[in-house]
Amino acid sequence: METINNEESQEILKAENISIIRDKHYIIKDISFSINKGENWAIIGRNGSGKSFMLKILSTLVYPSEGSISIYGKKFGETNIWDLRKKIGVVSDRLQHDYNGNTCVHDVILSGFFSSIGLHQDAQQWQIDRVKEIMEFLRLTPMANRPFETLSQGEQKRALIGRALVFKPQLIILDEPCSGLDIASRDDFLNFLGKMIADGMQIIFVTHHIEEIIPEITHVMLMEKGKIYKSGKKEDMMKRKQLRYILGVEKFKMKEKKGRYWPRYY
Ligand SMILES: Nc1ncnc2c1ncn2[C@@H]1O[C@H](COP(=O)(O)OP(=O)(O)O)[C@@H](O)[C@H]1O
Ligand SMILES: [Mg+2]
């Protein structure tokens, strides 16, 4: 019998010396870090720096070539993977493109229970109730029966978040969730992320746009060529000089306002 209740531990995720090797090359090299209870992370880095790979490892979709990952103290590879996956919600654009556009919003969200795209099993009443609850929260109820492809980009993103929420995960991982959104839809979406955090969830998300780092984000990881350049408290990471370096832009200024960071490229 277990004597330690890992759900209560402070460390919700721990990566130790993880690497990803493809075609004899390191895509991710020797990364270690941990994420504690109450922390919300933004990952910043240029295209190809390994952000998506890293999220795939963290969400147990890809097994690291070297090193290990623990989620709530349970090691990836030594624990039932479906149990681990219930603890983490994943939102990625990749999933969005995989959808058959005819699937209605209700079923897109419901499919989260079956870790699959499309429905292969009969849903139970509690699952249908949960989907209803999520649709209310995400303001999707009026379009429950509409085909996914008829939704706006912003609504589609919300539906994918809904799919990630079915098991009430503590941690939500999002890969560039704001791509393709106009400014108003993006703000609306970021407000939802803020609400989820206020509800007790934690997020890790990837972005190229520093203005998307909402006040609720507490930590930032700066990635470069498959490695962590620096990571730590947001205030220490959001420095003009290192952002200029990590984003690869020479002429870049930044203004802090209401807990957000507004860039100006010139
Ligand atoms: N299946 C693969 N095999 C080999 N290399 C890959 C594969 N998928 C991605 N890569 C490479 O790995 C690097 C990191 O990719 P990725 O994590 O998607 O970067 P990011 O999300 O930061 O833009 C890139 O250089 C990419 O070309
Ligand atoms: Mg990516």
Side-chain angles (χ1 to χ4, degrees):
M1 198 177 91
E2 272 185 326
T3 49
I4 300 169
N5 183 354
N6 288 310
E7 301 275 345
E8 296 299 320
S9 93
Q10 285 301 305
E11 205 168 57
I12 64 169
L13 203 147
K14 187 183 177 79
E16 288 175 285
N17 310 105
I18 53 169
S19 298
I20 285 277
I21 303 168
R22 291 288 182 277
D23 305 326
K24 295 182 188 157
H25 289 288
Y26 279 95
I27 291 177
I28 299 268
K29 191 158 187 193
D30 200 20
I31 283 185
S32 297
F33 64 91
S34 50
I35 294 179
N36 296 308
K37 206 165 181 170
E39 295 176 354
N40 295 293
W41 285 73
I43 302 176
I44 306 176
R46 295 180 64 178
N47 287 332
S49 59
K51 306 179 298 296
S52 292
F53 250 114
M54 200 143 82
L55 291 193
K56 278 181 206 153
I57 299 173
L58 301 186
S59 42
T60 75
L61 300 173
V62 166
Y63 198 79
S65 312
E66 296 169 350
S68 67
I69 292 277
S70 304
I71 296 163
Y72 293 103
K74 303 248 195 306
K75 245 188 192 162
F76 177 22
E78 295 175 5
T79 313
N80 182 321
I81 194 159
W82 302 108
D83 287 341
L84 285 185
R85 286 189 183 165
K86 281 180 191 167
K87 297 181 188 299
I88 301 177
V90 182
V91 179
S92 95
D93 252 6
R94 183 77 207 103
L95 217 54
Q96 189 164 345
H97 296 307
D98 284 349
Y99 265 100
N100 168 352
N102 289 326
T103 311
C104 73
V105 174
H106 177 275
D107 288 355
V108 166
I109 297 174
L110 187 63
S111 73
F113 281 113
F114 310 114
S115 295
S116 66
I117 289 159
L119 293 177
H120 305 294
Q121 292 164 54
D122 287 329
Q124 294 173 13
Q125 191 55 46
W126 69 273
Q127 294 172 319
I128 294 185
D129 292 343
R130 175 71 184 142
V131 171
K132 269 192 189 145
E133 189 178 275
I134 290 171
M135 288 194 305
E136 277 298 310
F137 173 66
L138 293 170
R139 296 198 319 256
L140 291 168
T141 309
M143 50 208 92
N145 296 316
R146 276 200 12 221
F148 189 72
E149 66 185 1
T150 67
L151 267 56
S152 74
Q153 286 271 329
E155 291 159 351
Q156 288 188 353
K157 304 259 180 198
R158 296 212 303 272
L160 292 179
I161 284 213
R163 182 180 190 275
L165 291 180
V166 292
F167 288 113
K168 303 188 179 178
Q170 169 72 42
L171 182 67
I172 312 281
I173 293 180
L174 309 103
D175 196 353
E176 298 189 36
C178 297
S179 65
L181 297 183
D182 63 37
I183 292 173
S185 313
R186 184 173 74 166
D187 278 347
D188 184 49
F189 184 83
L190 290 171
N191 281 336
F192 266 109
L193 290 190
K195 254 203 223 171
M196 283 160 49
I197 292 169
D199 274 358
M201 274 171 256
Q202 286 178 240
I203 64 169
I204 302 178
F205 89 105
V206 163
T207 182
H208 296 285
H209 302 285
I210 60 170
E211 71 271 23
E212 291 171 5
I213 298 178
I214 49 178
E216 291 85 353
I217 294 289
T218 57
H219 290 71
V220 172
M221 181 184 293
L222 305 175
M223 278 192 78
E224 183 203 22
K225 295 180 188 152
K227 292 185 181 167
I228 298 178
Y229 171 65
K230 275 183 185 168
S231 72
K233 288 214 170 103
K234 178 173 70 178
E235 297 70 34
D236 300 329
M237 296 302 114
M238 300 305 286
K239 304 269 190 221
R240 182 173 162 241
K241 214 172 153 187
Q242 53 199 27
L243 288 173
R244 205 167 64 181
Y245 172 73
I246 217 73
L247 297 170
V249 283
E250 266 300 309
K251 305 198 166 182
F252 160 73
K253 280 186 181 166
M254 163 173 95
K255 209 173 194 171
E256 197 186 334
K257 205 174 162 190
K258 291 185 187 162
R260 302 254 306 258
Y261 301 83
W262 302 93
R264 195 159 67 83
Y265 307 97
Y266 59 98

